[in-house]
Coordinates of all heavy atoms in Angstrom, one line a residue:
M201 N -5.6 38.6 48.9 CA -5.3 37.8 47.8 C -4.1 38.3 47.0 O -4.1 39.5 46.7 CB -6.5 37.7 46.8 CG -7.7 36.9 47.4 SD -7.3 35.1 47.5 CE -8.8 34.5 48.2
S202 N -3.1 37.5 46.8 CA -1.9 38.0 46.1 C -2.0 37.9 44.6 O -1.4 38.7 43.9 CB -0.7 37.1 46.6 OG -0.9 35.8 46.4
N203 N -2.8 36.9 44.1 CA -2.9 36.8 42.7 C -4.1 37.6 42.2 O -5.2 37.1 42.1 CB -3.0 35.3 42.3 CG -2.8 35.1 40.8 OD1 -2.9 36.1 40.0 ND2 -2.4 33.9 40.4
N204 N -3.8 38.8 41.7 CA -4.9 39.6 41.2 C -5.1 39.6 39.7 O -5.8 40.4 39.1 CB -4.7 41.1 41.7 CG -3.4 41.7 41.3 OD1 -2.7 41.1 40.4 ND2 -3.0 42.7 41.9
K205 N -4.4 38.6 39.1 CA -4.6 38.5 37.7 C -5.8 37.7 37.3 O -6.3 37.7 36.2 CB -3.4 37.8 37.1 CG -2.2 38.7 37.0 CD -1.0 37.9 36.5 CE 0.3 38.8 36.5 NZ 1.5 38.1 36.2
I206 N -6.3 36.9 38.3 CA -7.5 36.0 38.0 C -8.7 36.8 38.3 O -8.9 37.3 39.4 CB -7.4 34.8 38.9 CG1 -6.2 33.9 38.5 CG2 -8.7 33.9 38.7 CD1 -5.9 32.7 39.4
P207 N -9.6 37.0 37.3 CA -10.9 37.7 37.6 C -11.7 36.9 38.6 O -12.0 35.7 38.3 CB -11.5 37.8 36.2 CG -10.8 37.0 35.3 CD -9.5 36.5 35.9
M208 N -12.1 37.5 39.7 CA -12.9 36.8 40.7 C -14.3 37.4 40.6 O -14.6 38.5 40.4 CB -12.3 37.1 42.1 CG -10.9 36.7 42.2 SD -10.6 34.9 42.3 CE -11.1 34.6 44.0
R209 N -15.2 36.5 40.9 CA -16.6 36.9 41.1 C -17.2 36.2 42.3 O -16.8 35.1 42.7 CB -17.5 36.4 39.8 CG -17.1 37.2 38.5 CD -17.5 38.6 38.6 NE -17.2 39.3 37.3 CZ -16.0 39.8 37.0 NH1 -15.0 39.7 37.8 NH2 -15.8 40.4 35.8
R210 N -18.3 36.8 42.8 CA -18.9 36.2 44.0 C -20.1 35.4 43.7 O -21.0 35.9 42.9 CB -19.2 37.4 45.0 CG -19.7 36.9 46.3 CD -20.2 38.1 47.2 NE -19.1 39.0 47.4 CZ -18.3 39.0 48.5 NH1 -18.5 38.1 49.4 NH2 -17.4 39.9 48.7
C211 N -20.2 34.2 44.2 CA -21.4 33.4 44.0 C -22.5 34.0 44.9 O -22.3 34.3 46.0 CB -21.1 32.0 44.5 SG -22.5 30.9 44.7
V212 N -23.7 34.2 44.2 CA -24.8 34.8 45.0 C -25.5 33.8 45.8 O -26.5 34.1 46.5 CB -25.8 35.5 44.0 CG1 -25.2 36.6 43.3 CG2 -26.4 34.5 43.0
G213 N -25.1 32.5 45.8 CA -25.7 31.5 46.7 C -24.9 31.4 48.0 O -25.5 31.7 49.1
C214 N -23.6 31.1 47.9 CA -22.9 31.0 49.2 C -22.0 32.2 49.5 O -21.3 32.2 50.5 CB -22.0 29.7 49.1 SG -20.7 29.8 47.8
M215 N -22.0 33.2 48.6 CA -21.3 34.4 48.8 C -19.8 34.3 48.9 O -19.1 35.1 49.5 CB -21.8 35.2 50.1 CG -23.3 35.4 50.1 SD -24.0 36.1 48.6 CE -23.4 37.8 48.8
T216 N -19.3 33.2 48.3 CA -17.8 33.0 48.2 C -17.3 33.5 46.9 O -17.9 33.3 45.9 CB -17.5 31.5 48.3 OG1 -18.1 31.0 49.5 CG2 -16.0 31.2 48.4
S217 N -16.1 34.2 47.0 CA -15.5 34.7 45.7 C -14.6 33.6 45.1 O -13.9 32.9 45.9 CB -14.6 35.9 46.0 OG -15.5 37.0 46.2
K218 N -14.8 33.4 43.9 CA -14.0 32.3 43.2 C -13.6 32.8 41.8 O -14.2 33.8 41.3 CB -14.9 31.1 43.0 CG -15.2 30.3 44.2 CD -15.9 29.0 43.9 CE -16.1 28.2 45.2 NZ -16.8 27.0 45.0
P219 N -12.6 32.2 41.2 CA -12.3 32.6 39.8 C -13.5 32.5 38.9 O -14.3 31.5 39.0 CB -11.2 31.6 39.4 CG -10.6 31.1 40.7 CD -11.7 31.1 41.7
K220 N -13.7 33.5 38.1 CA -14.8 33.6 37.2 C -15.1 32.4 36.4 O -16.2 32.0 36.2 CB -14.6 34.8 36.3 CG -15.8 35.3 35.6 CD -15.3 36.5 34.8 CE -16.3 36.8 33.6 NZ -15.7 37.9 32.8
K221 N -14.0 31.8 35.9 CA -14.2 30.6 35.0 C -14.7 29.4 35.8 O -15.2 28.4 35.1 CB -12.9 30.3 34.3 CG -11.7 29.9 35.3 CD -10.5 29.6 34.5 CE -9.4 29.2 35.4 NZ -8.1 28.9 34.8
E222 N -14.6 29.4 37.1 CA -15.2 28.2 37.9 C -16.7 28.4 38.2 O -17.3 27.5 38.7 CB -14.4 28.1 39.2 CG -13.0 27.6 39.0 CD -12.3 27.5 40.3 OE1 -12.9 27.4 41.4 OE2 -11.0 27.5 40.3
L223 N -17.2 29.6 37.8 CA -18.6 29.9 38.2 C -19.5 29.8 37.0 O -19.0 29.9 35.8 CB -18.7 31.3 38.8 CG -17.8 31.4 40.1 CD1 -17.7 32.9 40.5 CD2 -18.5 30.7 41.2
V224 N -20.8 29.6 37.2 CA -21.8 29.6 36.2 C -22.4 31.0 36.1 O -22.9 31.5 37.2 CB -22.8 28.5 36.4 CG1 -23.9 28.5 35.4 CG2 -22.1 27.1 36.5
R225 N -22.5 31.6 35.0 CA -23.1 32.9 34.8 C -24.6 32.8 34.5 O -24.9 32.0 33.6 CB -22.4 33.7 33.8 CG -22.8 35.1 33.7 CD -21.8 35.9 32.8 NE -22.2 37.3 32.8 CZ -22.8 38.0 31.8 NH1 -23.1 37.3 30.7 NH2 -23.1 39.3 31.9
L226 N -25.4 33.6 35.1 CA -26.8 33.6 34.7 C -27.1 35.1 34.3 O -26.7 36.0 35.0 CB -27.7 33.2 35.9 CG -27.7 31.7 36.2 CD1 -26.7 31.4 37.2 CD2 -29.1 31.2 36.6
V227 N -28.0 35.2 33.3 CA -28.4 36.5 32.9 C -30.0 36.5 32.8 O -30.6 35.4 32.8 CB -27.9 36.9 31.5 CG1 -26.3 37.1 31.6 CG2 -28.2 35.8 30.4
A228 N -30.6 37.6 32.7 CA -32.0 37.7 32.6 C -32.4 37.7 31.1 O -31.8 38.5 30.3 CB -32.5 39.0 33.3
A229 N -33.3 36.9 30.7 CA -33.8 36.9 29.4 C -35.3 36.4 29.4 O -35.6 35.4 30.1 CB -33.0 35.9 28.5
D230 N -36.1 37.1 28.7 CA -37.6 36.7 28.7 C -38.1 36.7 30.1 O -39.0 35.9 30.4 CB -37.8 35.4 28.0 CG -37.3 35.3 26.6 OD1 -37.3 36.4 25.9 OD2 -36.8 34.2 26.2
G231 N -37.7 37.6 30.9 CA -38.2 37.7 32.3 C -37.8 36.7 33.3 O -38.5 36.5 34.3
R232 N -36.8 35.9 32.9 CA -36.4 34.9 33.9 C -34.9 34.7 33.7 O -34.3 35.0 32.7 CB -37.1 33.6 33.6 CG -36.8 32.9 32.3 CD -37.4 31.5 32.3 NE -37.1 30.7 31.1 CZ -36.0 30.0 30.9 NH1 -35.1 29.9 31.9 NH2 -35.8 29.3 29.8
P233 N -34.3 34.1 34.8 CA -32.8 33.9 34.7 C -32.6 32.7 33.7 O -33.3 31.8 33.7 CB -32.4 33.5 36.1 CG -33.6 33.9 37.0 CD -34.8 33.8 36.1
R234 N -31.5 32.9 33.0 CA -31.1 31.8 32.0 C -29.6 31.6 32.2 O -28.8 32.5 32.5 CB -31.4 32.2 30.6 CG -32.8 32.5 30.3 CD -33.0 32.5 28.8 NE -32.7 31.3 28.2 CZ -33.7 30.5 27.5 NH1 -34.9 31.0 27.4 NH2 -33.3 29.4 27.0
V235 N -29.2 30.4 32.1 CA -27.8 30.1 32.2 C -27.1 30.6 30.9 O -27.5 30.3 29.8 CB -27.5 28.5 32.3 CG1 -26.0 28.2 32.3 CG2 -28.2 28.0 33.6
D236 N -26.1 31.4 31.1 CA -25.3 31.9 30.0 C -24.1 31.0 29.8 O -23.0 31.3 30.3 CB -24.8 33.3 30.4 CG -23.9 33.9 29.3 OD1 -23.9 33.5 28.2 OD2 -23.2 34.9 29.7
S237 N -24.3 29.9 29.1 CA -23.3 28.9 29.1 C -22.0 29.3 28.4 O -20.9 28.9 28.7 CB -23.8 27.6 28.4 OG -24.6 27.9 27.3
A238 N -22.1 30.3 27.4 CA -20.9 30.8 26.7 C -20.3 31.9 27.6 O -19.1 32.2 27.3 CB -21.3 31.3 25.4
G239 N -21.0 32.4 28.5 CA -20.4 33.5 29.4 C -20.3 34.8 28.7 O -19.6 35.7 29.1
K240 N -21.1 34.9 27.6 CA -20.9 36.1 26.7 C -22.1 36.9 26.5 O -22.1 37.9 25.7 CB -20.3 35.7 25.4 CG -18.8 35.3 25.5 CD -18.3 34.8 24.2 CE -16.8 34.4 24.3 NZ -16.4 33.6 23.2
A241 N -23.2 36.5 27.1 CA -24.5 37.3 26.9 C -24.4 38.7 27.5 O -23.7 38.9 28.5 CB -25.6 36.5 27.6
N242 N -25.0 39.6 26.8 CA -25.0 41.0 27.3 C -25.8 41.2 28.5 O -26.7 40.4 28.7 CB -25.4 41.9 26.2 CG -24.4 42.1 25.1 OD1 -23.2 42.1 25.4 ND2 -24.8 42.1 23.8
G243 N -25.6 42.2 29.2 CA -26.5 42.6 30.3 C -25.9 42.2 31.6 O -24.8 41.6 31.7
R244 N -26.8 42.4 32.6 CA -26.4 42.2 33.9 C -26.4 40.7 34.2 O -27.3 40.0 33.8 CB -27.5 42.8 34.8 CG -27.0 43.2 36.2 CD -28.1 44.1 36.8 NE -27.8 44.2 38.2 CZ -28.5 44.9 39.0 NH1 -29.6 45.5 38.6 NH2 -28.2 45.0 40.3
G245 N -25.4 40.2 34.9 CA -25.3 38.8 35.2 C -25.0 38.6 36.7 O -24.6 39.4 37.4
V246 N -25.4 37.4 37.1 CA -25.0 36.9 38.4 C -24.3 35.6 38.3 O -24.4 34.9 37.3 CB -26.2 36.7 39.4 CG1 -27.0 38.0 39.6 CG2 -27.2 35.7 38.8
Y247 N -23.5 35.3 39.3 CA -22.7 34.1 39.2 C -23.0 33.1 40.3 O -23.4 33.5 41.4 CB -21.2 34.5 39.3 CG -20.7 35.2 38.1 CD1 -20.9 36.6 38.0 CD2 -20.1 34.6 37.1 CE1 -20.5 37.3 36.9 CE2 -19.6 35.3 36.0 CZ -19.8 36.6 35.9 OH -19.4 37.3 34.8
L248 N -22.9 31.9 40.0 CA -23.1 30.8 41.0 C -22.0 29.8 40.8 O -21.5 29.5 39.7 CB -24.5 30.1 40.7 CG -25.8 30.8 41.1 CD1 -26.9 30.0 40.5 CD2 -25.9 30.9 42.6
C249 N -21.7 29.1 42.0 CA -20.8 28.0 41.9 C -21.5 26.9 41.0 O -22.7 26.9 40.9 CB -20.5 27.4 43.3 SG -19.8 28.5 44.4
A250 N -20.7 26.0 40.4 CA -21.3 24.9 39.7 C -21.8 23.9 40.6 O -21.2 22.8 40.7 CB -20.2 24.3 38.7
D251 N -22.8 24.2 41.4 CA -23.2 23.4 42.5 C -24.7 23.7 42.7 O -25.1 24.8 42.9 CB -22.5 23.7 43.8 CG -22.8 22.8 44.9 OD1 -23.9 22.2 45.0 OD2 -21.9 22.6 45.8
V252 N -25.6 22.7 42.6 CA -27.0 22.9 42.7 C -27.4 23.5 44.1 O -28.4 24.2 44.3 CB -27.8 21.6 42.5 CG1 -27.8 21.2 41.0 CG2 -27.4 20.5 43.4
E253 N -26.5 23.2 45.1 CA -26.8 23.8 46.4 C -26.7 25.3 46.4 O -27.5 25.9 47.1 CB -25.9 23.2 47.5 CG -26.3 21.8 47.9 CD -25.5 21.3 49.1 OE1 -25.0 22.1 49.9 OE2 -25.4 20.1 49.2
C254 N -25.8 25.8 45.7 CA -25.7 27.3 45.6 C -26.9 27.9 44.8 O -27.4 28.9 45.2 CB -24.4 27.6 44.9 SG -23.0 27.4 46.0
L255 N -27.4 27.1 43.8 CA -28.6 27.6 43.2 C -29.8 27.6 44.2 O -30.5 28.6 44.2 CB -28.9 26.7 42.0 CG -30.3 27.0 41.3 CD1 -30.2 28.3 40.6 CD2 -30.6 25.9 40.2
E256 N -29.9 26.6 45.0 CA -31.0 26.5 45.9 C -30.9 27.7 47.0 O -31.9 28.3 47.3 CB -31.0 25.2 46.6 CG -31.4 24.0 45.7 CD -32.8 24.2 45.0 OE1 -33.7 24.8 45.7 OE2 -32.9 23.9 43.9
K257 N -29.7 27.9 47.4 CA -29.5 29.0 48.4 C -29.8 30.3 47.7 O -30.5 31.2 48.3 CB -28.0 29.1 48.8 CG -27.6 28.0 49.8 CD -26.1 28.1 50.1 CE -25.6 26.9 50.8 NZ -24.1 26.8 50.8
A258 N -29.5 30.5 46.5 CA -29.8 31.8 45.8 C -31.3 31.9 45.6 O -31.8 33.0 45.7 CB -29.0 31.8 44.4
L259 N -32.0 30.8 45.3 CA -33.4 30.9 45.1 C -34.1 31.2 46.4 O -35.0 32.0 46.5 CB -33.9 29.6 44.6 CG -33.6 29.2 43.1 CD1 -34.1 27.8 42.8 CD2 -34.2 30.2 42.1
K260 N -33.6 30.6 47.5 CA -34.2 30.8 48.8 C -34.1 32.3 49.2 O -35.0 32.8 49.8 CB -33.5 29.9 49.8 CG -34.4 29.3 50.8 CD -33.7 28.2 51.6 CE -33.8 26.9 50.9 NZ -33.0 25.8 51.5
R261 N -32.9 32.9 48.9 CA -32.8 34.3 49.4 C -33.1 35.3 48.3 O -32.7 36.5 48.4 CB -31.3 34.5 49.9 CG -30.3 34.3 48.9 CD -29.0 35.1 49.3 NE -28.5 34.6 50.5 CZ -27.2 34.1 50.7 NH1 -26.4 34.0 49.6 NH2 -26.8 33.7 51.8
N262 N -33.7 34.8 47.2 CA -34.1 35.7 46.1 C -33.0 36.5 45.5 O -33.1 37.6 45.1 CB -35.2 36.7 46.6 CG -36.5 36.0 47.0 OD1 -36.9 35.0 46.3 ND2 -37.1 36.4 48.1
A263 N -31.8 35.9 45.5 CA -30.6 36.5 45.0 C -30.6 36.7 43.5 O -30.1 37.6 42.9 CB -29.4 35.8 45.4
L264 N -31.3 35.7 42.8 CA -31.4 35.8 41.4 C -32.3 37.0 40.9 O -31.9 37.7 40.1 CB -31.9 34.5 40.8 CG -31.0 33.3 41.0 CD1 -31.6 32.1 40.3 CD2 -29.6 33.5 40.6
T265 N -33.4 37.0 41.5 CA -34.4 38.1 41.1 C -33.8 39.5 41.5 O -33.8 40.4 40.7 CB -35.7 38.0 41.8 OG1 -35.5 37.7 43.2 CG2 -36.5 36.8 41.2
R266 N -33.1 39.6 42.6 CA -32.5 40.8 43.0 C -31.3 41.2 42.1 O -31.3 42.3 41.6 CB -32.0 40.7 44.5 CG -32.2 42.0 45.2 CD -32.1 41.9 46.7 NE -31.1 40.9 47.1 CZ -31.3 39.9 48.0 NH1 -32.5 39.8 48.6 NH2 -30.3 39.1 48.3
G267 N -30.5 40.2 41.9 CA -29.3 40.5 41.1 C -29.6 40.8 39.6 O -28.8 41.4 39.0
L268 N -30.7 40.2 39.2 CA -31.0 40.4 37.7 C -32.2 41.3 37.5 O -32.7 41.5 36.4 CB -31.4 39.0 37.1 CG -30.2 38.0 37.1 CD1 -30.7 36.6 36.7 CD2 -29.1 38.4 36.2
S269 N -32.6 42.0 38.6 CA -33.7 42.9 38.5 C -35.0 42.3 37.9 O -35.7 42.9 37.1 CB -33.4 44.2 37.7 OG -32.2 44.8 38.3
L270 N -35.3 41.1 38.4 CA -36.6 40.5 38.0 C -37.6 40.6 39.1 O -37.3 40.8 40.3 CB -36.3 39.0 37.7 CG -35.3 38.7 36.5 CD1 -35.0 37.3 36.5 CD2 -35.9 39.2 35.2
S271 N -38.9 40.5 38.7 CA -39.9 40.7 39.7 C -40.2 39.6 40.6 O -40.5 39.7 41.8 CB -41.2 41.1 39.0 OG -41.5 40.2 38.0
G272 N -40.0 38.4 40.2 CA -40.2 37.2 41.0 C -40.3 36.0 40.2 O -40.4 36.0 38.9
L273 N -40.1 34.8 40.8 CA -40.1 33.6 40.1 C -41.2 32.6 40.6 O -41.2 32.4 41.8 CB -38.7 32.9 40.2 CG -37.5 33.7 39.8 CD1 -36.2 33.0 40.1 CD2 -37.6 34.1 38.3
D274 N -42.0 32.1 39.7 CA -43.0 31.1 40.2 C -42.3 29.7 40.2 O -41.2 29.5 39.8 CB -44.3 31.1 39.4 CG -44.0 30.8 37.9 OD1 -43.0 30.2 37.6 OD2 -44.8 31.2 37.1
G275 N -43.0 28.7 40.8 CA -42.5 27.4 41.0 C -42.0 26.8 39.7 O -41.0 26.1 39.6
E276 N -42.8 27.0 38.6 CA -42.5 26.4 37.3 C -41.2 27.0 36.8 O -40.4 26.3 36.2 CB -43.7 26.6 36.4 CG -43.6 25.8 35.1 CD -44.7 26.2 34.1 OE1 -45.8 26.7 34.6 OE2 -44.5 26.0 32.9
T277 N -41.1 28.3 36.9 CA -39.9 29.0 36.4 C -38.7 28.5 37.2 O -37.6 28.2 36.6 CB -40.0 30.5 36.6 OG1 -41.2 30.9 35.9 CG2 -38.9 31.2 36.0
K278 N -38.8 28.3 38.5 CA -37.7 27.8 39.3 C -37.3 26.4 38.8 O -36.1 26.1 38.7 CB -38.1 27.8 40.7 CG -38.1 29.1 41.4 CD -38.5 29.0 42.9 CE -38.6 30.4 43.4 NZ -39.1 30.4 44.9
D279 N -38.3 25.6 38.5 CA -37.9 24.2 38.0 C -37.2 24.3 36.7 O -36.3 23.5 36.4 CB -39.2 23.4 37.9 CG -39.7 22.9 39.2 OD1 -38.9 22.9 40.2 OD2 -40.8 22.5 39.3
I280 N -37.6 25.2 35.8 CA -36.9 25.3 34.5 C -35.4 25.7 34.7 O -34.5 25.2 34.1 CB -37.6 26.4 33.6 CG1 -39.0 25.9 33.2 CG2 -36.8 26.7 32.4 CD1 -39.9 27.0 32.6
I281 N -35.2 26.7 35.7 CA -33.9 27.1 36.0 C -33.1 26.0 36.6 O -31.9 25.8 36.2 CB -33.9 28.3 36.9 CG1 -34.6 29.5 36.3 CG2 -32.5 28.7 37.4 CD1 -35.1 30.5 37.3
R282 N -33.7 25.2 37.5 CA -33.0 24.1 38.1 C -32.5 23.1 37.0 O -31.4 22.6 37.1 CB -33.9 23.3 39.0 CG -34.1 24.1 40.3 CD -35.0 23.2 41.3 NE -35.2 23.9 42.6 CZ -36.3 24.5 43.0 NH1 -37.3 24.5 42.2 NH2 -36.3 25.1 44.1
S283 N -33.4 22.7 36.1 CA -32.9 21.7 35.1 C -31.9 22.3 34.1 O -31.0 21.6 33.7 CB -34.2 21.1 34.4 OG -34.8 22.1 33.6
E284 N -32.1 23.6 33.8 CA -31.1 24.3 32.9 C -29.8 24.3 33.6 O -28.7 24.0 32.9 CB -31.6 25.7 32.6 CG -31.5 26.1 31.1 CD -32.0 27.5 30.9 OE1 -31.3 28.4 31.2 OE2 -33.2 27.6 30.4
F285 N -29.8 24.7 34.8 CA -28.5 24.8 35.6 C -27.9 23.5 35.7 O -26.7 23.3 35.4 CB -28.8 25.4 37.0 CG -27.6 25.7 37.8 CD1 -26.9 26.8 37.6 CD2 -27.3 24.8 38.8 CE1 -25.8 27.1 38.3 CE2 -26.1 25.1 39.6 CZ -25.4 26.2 39.4
A286 N -28.6 22.5 36.1 CA -28.1 21.1 36.3 C -27.5 20.6 35.0 O -26.5 19.9 34.9 CB -29.1 20.2 36.8
G287 N -28.2 21.0 33.8 CA -27.7 20.5 32.5 C -26.4 21.1 32.1 O -25.8 20.7 31.1
N288 N -26.0 22.2 32.8 CA -24.8 22.9 32.4 C -23.6 22.6 33.3 O -22.6 23.2 33.2 CB -25.1 24.4 32.4 CG -25.5 24.9 31.0 OD1 -24.7 25.2 30.2 ND2 -26.8 24.9 30.8
L289 N -23.8 21.7 34.3 CA -22.7 21.4 35.2 C -21.8 20.4 34.5 O -22.2 19.6 33.7 CB -23.3 20.9 36.5 CG -24.2 21.9 37.3 CD1 -24.6 21.2 38.6 CD2 -23.5 23.2 37.5
Ligands
LIG427 ZN1 -21.5 29.1 45.8

């Protein structure tokens, strides 16, 4: 990559690196991933493309729990994340 001025982050769903501002940041709060819509929440974050398919890929490979050091996500929690994520696209 020639342009190293743009901060790049890797999507934990499709594993593609993209400019940080094109990605959605998620952080751990209250024991579950939450969309950090302002991009300013403290702590460890993971990034996803603004694409529900990348969220699904990340859920399937447990990339959110691993990246955010969470123990696991039940179905209800996953649905909350799905709607939160979709609401931020
Ligand atoms: Zn992606």
Side-chain angles (χ1 to χ4, degrees):
M201 289 293 178
S202 57
N203 194 339
N204 55 16
K205 287 178 183 172
I206 299 173
M208 304 288 280
R209 293 292 183 275
R210 189 186 296 268
C211 168
V212 296
C214 65
M215 307 309 285
T216 304
S217 287
K218 291 189 176 180
K220 193 178 161 187
K221 62 179 180 180
E222 291 179 18
L223 299 167
V224 178
R225 185 169 187 257
L226 287 93
V227 294
D230 303 326
R232 67 171 181 88
R234 299 192 67 115
V235 176
D236 176 22
S237 43
K240 287 174 180 166
N242 287 324
R244 205 166 168 183
V246 296
Y247 291 84
L248 284 170
C249 301
D251 188 332
V252 290
E253 282 190 25
C254 287
L255 175 64
E256 292 304 323
K257 285 177 193 165
L259 289 175
K260 218 168 276 176
R261 63 157 61 121
N262 297 317
L264 298 184
T265 47
R266 216 166 36 228
L268 297 172
S269 301
L270 297 170
S271 48
L273 304 173
D274 59 24
E276 192 185 337
T277 304
K278 287 181 183 176
D279 283 344
I280 293 170
I281 298 158
R282 285 184 178 107
S283 62
E284 225 180 76
F285 185 79
N288 271 273
L289 299 183

